[in-house]
Amino acid sequence: PGAHTPFMPMGYISSLGYTKGGRRILALSTVADMVAVLDGMTHQSASKNHFTLSGSNPIGIAISEDGA
């Protein structure tokens, strides 16, 4: 990613998950313990804030077929 992408504040992105149809991308940072929601077409942030996860060092992301 370039210098002006939503990935920079989160640091290293270890996993990506795509919602059904690819409309949203969920980007997981193991360093910051955060998930960012991105627009699937523009790859720009779809939310004002990233979601902080409880625990530490998540290792992956999974999305079910129904999008839950």
Side-chain angles (χ1 to χ4, degrees):
H4 299 290
T5 67
F7 297 124
M8 295 306 290
M10 293 178 55
Y12 177 74
I13 301 298
S14 63
S15 298
L16 293 175
Y18 295 85
T19 60
K20 189 173 185 176
R23 294 186 61 181
R24 295 283 186 248
I25 301 169
L26 303 175
L28 173 68
S29 169
T30 57
V31 176
D33 297 332
M34 299 177 106
V35 173
V37 180
L38 309 173
D39 182 275
M41 294 292 290
T42 66
H43 298 164
Q44 297 300 312
S45 184
S47 63
K48 290 185 179 185
N49 297 313
H50 301 309
F51 299 97
T52 304
L53 304 172
S54 61
S56 65
N57 299 324
I59 58 170
I61 193 163
I63 302 171
S64 64
E65 285 186 31
D66 65 358

